[in-house]
Amino acid sequence: MDLPTTRLNAEISTAPQLTPDAMAAAAAAGFRSVINNRPDFEAGPEQPTSASIEAAARAAGLEYVHLPVAGNFQTPEQAQAMAGLMERLPKPVLAFCRSGTRSGRLYALSLEHRR
């Protein structure tokens, strides 16, 4: 399975919505952690749940965190939470949302909170 990722730097890449079966491919591609920035059921009941993705990520040997944020606005607290995750999670990290855009924005905002 090809992962549609965008590499932001050596620490992090972003992707559009990932499914549970993409977790093995993420691990095979060298990622060590996954951050899901999409709220459950944002797109309706057909969207995979965080719990199903987490189970697959852990089975593939990945760290997994669910940090849901709205598509149109990320708070300073969410940016700070992302900064904390980037400090502690094994790298490289793959963050995803519906299109990958909000994950990229959240990462950019988090840089202001990393020291």
Side-chain angles (χ1 to χ4, degrees):
M1 162 184 272
D2 263 349
L3 287 175
T5 62
T6 300
R7 184 177 169 164
L8 302 183
N9 59 41
E11 289 188 333
I12 186 165
S13 294
T14 60
Q17 175 70 60
L18 296 175
T19 60
D21 31 329
M23 296 300 102
F31 291 102
R32 297 183 59 212
S33 303
V34 174
I35 300 173
N36 177 356
N37 293 132
R38 196 160 193 207
D40 274 347
F41 308 115
E42 178 180 59
E46 69 281 354
Q47 178 184 327
T49 63
S50 175
S52 67
I53 299 167
E54 178 177 13
R58 299 226 183 262
L62 297 165
E63 291 290 322
Y64 177 89
V65 177
H66 189 210
L67 176 60
V69 297
N72 58 348
F73 181 76
Q74 292 82 49
T75 68
E77 294 79 16
Q78 291 167 330
Q80 189 158 5
M82 184 71 159
L85 292 175
M86 291 305 299
E87 289 294 326
R88 74 170 177 82
L89 287 174
K91 294 171 190 59
V93 173
L94 178 58
F96 75 91
C97 57
R98 186 187 66 76
S99 69
T101 301
R102 90 182 82 161
S103 293
R105 277 196 315 254
L106 187 60
Y107 175 74
L109 289 170
S110 79
L111 294 175
E112 299 171 16
H113 296 277
R114 289 177 76 183
R115 301 284 173 237

